[in-house]
Amino acid sequence: MPDATAHSDWSPMSWRERPLAQEVPYPDMEAVHDAARRLRDLPPLVTSGEIEHLIAQLAEAEEGKRFLLWGGDCAESIADCTSDVIAGKLKILLQMSLVLVMAGRRPVTRVGRLAGQYAKPRSTQTETRKTPEGELTLPSYFGDLVNRAQFTLAARTPDPRLMLEAYQHAGLTLNFVRSLIDAGFADIHHPEYWNLGLLQHAGLTAETRTQYQALLDRLSDAIEFMRVAGQKDYDALTRVDFFTSHEGLNLWYESAQTRQVPRRQGWWNLTTHLPWIGERTRRLDGAHVEYFRGVRNPVGVKVGPSMTCDDLLRLARALNPANTPGKLVLIPRMGSKIAAALPPLVAAVQREGLRALWVCDPMHANGIGTTNGYKTRRFDDILAELHTCWDVLAAHNVRMGGVHVELTGDDVTECLGGSGNITEADLTRNYATSCDPRLNYEQSLELAFSLAKRMGR
Ligand code: PEP
Ligand code: CO
């Protein structure tokens, strides 16, 4: 494989020469260097072998032989690093993937926004609130890797030691995920583990429950049939891999864990398998693109409605200079603008013969505010963007590679609609996200069924 990272002008720290969007206002740079030095010495969270395995799967997805299911919290929180929360997230992703495997009859690669999704870009650097003592302006909350959500000066002051704390909790999360998977929690050969009856989800409608139960019955039959028939796809279809991802926002953290490994070329970001560049940090000459052009990991990049063809082509060439299959994931997130904004971009990438996996994020351009002060999204808008994205790609003969969603395995009330018909008034009931609104358990399954219907066509 060509070494795409053999740039003589690149190093894990070369990003420091470029304009840094979303720069964290650390008050004490000496403490940042100390934390980065410590991080550099700590063992990696993932291995280069796992990352290569993921690249191979993403390459298969480009050819339509796989589907990528990518989801989790908008922002993970350290307080939520508990067994129930982690198992819940794993479970909903696995159940959704089961729905997709059955409908698409091809393997699904699962990627969690998990084990490191602790840094958040913000549209404003500061936040002002009315307090009993008058108006108070403090740094925004940038995620648990940077500062704390509580609205006090002490909590909001960026603290570089939190990089180490976030790293440790990412490690704990990953350790538990790996143990669960090793123990068969996610094993498709044991559909009894997948039984919804174990989960007393209040919001789950009878219709979704019945649909899912019917699917489980069909699955048991299909697995038995494949086993008996010795179908060669049996292993591929039934093996459960699970990969991690996070937005590569804080480059002090990312670069500190970027290393070379024995017997493999290039530099690897070993904090996660699949890092992505956000909509606010994808500037071509910016620090984030500079950093990510040099690592061997596959890299995702968000593609908002303001993206031009020219910028997208240059971005794709910068991030995937050898045009390697499985290396670049383009993530349109355009809301209602998608029907107009996406076609020229897809056409340009096709015309230039650039390899990329297209994965729809139907969440981030569909945010709305409610009259009672909540940040939410309408389930129907989310589905509409997903299906429009699929239409646009299909019209260009390009595979819908997957979906990138914010979700949770809990019965939260953060997004409106779905068959549980969450209303604005319901949002007050269980609005638990520390950042953007997530699909709840039922809405997530419903989304999977909607995709499944389309795959089954
Ligand atoms: C996100 O994925 O949480 C996010 C902030 O997305 P975007 O960069 O697309 O706004
Ligand atoms: Co978000």
Side-chain angles (χ1 to χ4, degrees), residues 73-75 113 117 120 302 363-364 377 406 435-437:
D73 287 319
C74 180
R113 289 174 61 114
Q117 175 51 16
K120 295 308 299 172
K302 296 291 192 86
M363 312 298 290
H364 283 93
R377 294 157 171 159
E406 288 181 344
C435 198
D436 291 338

Side-chain angles (χ1 to χ4, degrees), residues 289-396:
V289 172
E290 170 59 22
Y291 167 74
F292 278 108
R293 82 184 170 96
V295 296
R296 292 290 301 272
N297 303 59
V299 175
V301 59
K302 296 291 192 86
V303 179
S306 66
M307 177 75 89
T308 64
C309 289
D310 197 41
D311 274 356
L312 182 59
L313 294 178
R314 286 206 255 171
L315 202 48
R317 290 194 172 104
L319 294 173
N320 188 12
N323 208 18
T324 308
K327 179 71 171 75
L328 177 66
V329 185
L330 297 175
I331 314 164
R333 33 84 84 214
M334 299 179 163
S336 58
K337 299 192 174 126
I338 191 163
L342 186 58
L345 299 175
V346 177
V349 170
Q350 280 291 83
R351 188 182 58 238
E352 298 297 314
L354 299 182
R355 302 293 303 245
L357 182 70
W358 291 87
V359 173
C360 179
D361 166 1
M363 312 298 290
H364 283 93
N366 281 315
I368 52 169
T370 64
T371 43
N372 54 353
Y374 284 91
K375 217 161 92 168
T376 187
R377 294 157 171 159
R378 287 195 197 92
F379 186 68
D380 287 349
D381 294 344
I382 292 167
L383 278 194
E385 180 168 0
L386 208 51
H387 287 285
T388 307
C389 185
W390 198 310
D391 293 339
V392 169
L393 293 170
H396 291 83

Side-chain angles (χ1 to χ4, degrees), residues 39-290:
L39 268 177
R40 212 162 284 141
D41 291 338
L42 288 166
L45 297 176
V46 303
T47 68
S48 54
E50 292 165 354
I51 294 171
E52 284 194 335
H53 192 50
L54 174 60
I55 291 178
Q57 294 197 8
L58 297 175
E60 284 180 15
E62 281 179 28
E63 292 173 15
K65 295 182 186 152
R66 269 182 184 274
F67 194 79
L68 186 64
L69 174 64
W70 191 354
D73 287 319
C74 180
E76 272 185 290
S77 79
I78 284 174
D80 272 349
C81 183
T82 67
S83 55
D84 286 356
V85 173
I86 297 165
K89 285 183 215 171
L90 199 58
K91 194 153 203 160
I92 181 61
L93 282 172
L94 295 166
Q95 290 183 343
M96 289 171 79
S97 69
L98 186 58
V99 172
L100 300 174
V101 165
M102 288 300 289
R105 304 202 177 267
R106 52 191 155 133
V108 170
T109 294
R110 302 137 187 106
V111 179
R113 289 174 61 114
L114 191 84
Q117 175 51 16
Y118 290 120
K120 295 308 299 172
R122 303 315 307 240
S123 31
T124 53
Q125 290 281 296
T126 58
E127 181 182 345
T128 301
R129 284 193 199 171
K130 287 201 183 71
T131 69
E133 292 78 44
E135 268 197 358
L136 180 61
T137 299
L138 293 175
S140 295
Y141 169 57
F142 300 102
D144 281 0
L145 188 131
V146 174
N147 57 3
R148 303 278 191 189
Q150 206 191 350
F151 198 70
T152 64
L153 180 61
R156 289 293 176 93
T157 302
D159 178 355
R161 284 170 307 185
L162 291 176
M163 288 196 273
L164 291 162
E165 206 173 315
Y167 160 88
Q168 284 155 3
H169 285 84
L172 295 173
T173 303
L174 198 48
N175 180 56
F176 186 50
V177 168
R178 291 190 198 279
S179 309
L180 283 174
I181 287 180
D182 282 351
F185 173 86
D187 196 334
I188 214 166
H189 307 81
H190 295 288
E192 65 273 17
Y193 289 126
W194 302 64
N195 195 341
L196 278 183
L198 297 173
L199 304 157
Q200 296 311 322
H201 282 274
L204 209 59
T205 61
E207 192 196 342
T208 311
R209 202 177 283 273
T210 312
Q211 254 181 327
Y212 190 79
Q213 285 296 355
L215 190 97
L216 279 186
D217 294 343
R218 275 204 291 137
L219 178 75
S220 310
D221 291 349
I223 285 175
E224 184 52 20
F225 174 77
M226 285 197 297
R227 196 184 60 76
V228 172
Q231 189 171 319
K232 78 173 185 328
D233 289 343
Y234 178 69
D235 268 0
L237 213 52
T238 55
R239 193 181 49 227
V240 171
D241 288 316
F242 194 87
F243 298 97
T244 64
S245 74
H246 64 248
E247 176 169 352
L249 189 66
N250 187 321
L251 296 178
W252 291 105
Y253 180 77
E254 305 301 324
S255 55
Q257 280 264 325
T258 301
R259 44 191 85 180
Q260 290 173 298
V261 299
R263 293 178 299 283
R264 282 194 170 89
Q265 290 183 312
W267 292 85
W268 303 79
N269 178 332
L270 298 181
T271 62
T272 195
H273 301 110
L274 175 52
W276 79 87
I277 303 175
E279 172 70 3
R280 294 162 190 80
T281 47
R282 60 170 166 76
R283 212 177 118 171
L284 257 173
D285 63 351
H288 292 81
V289 172
E290 170 59 22

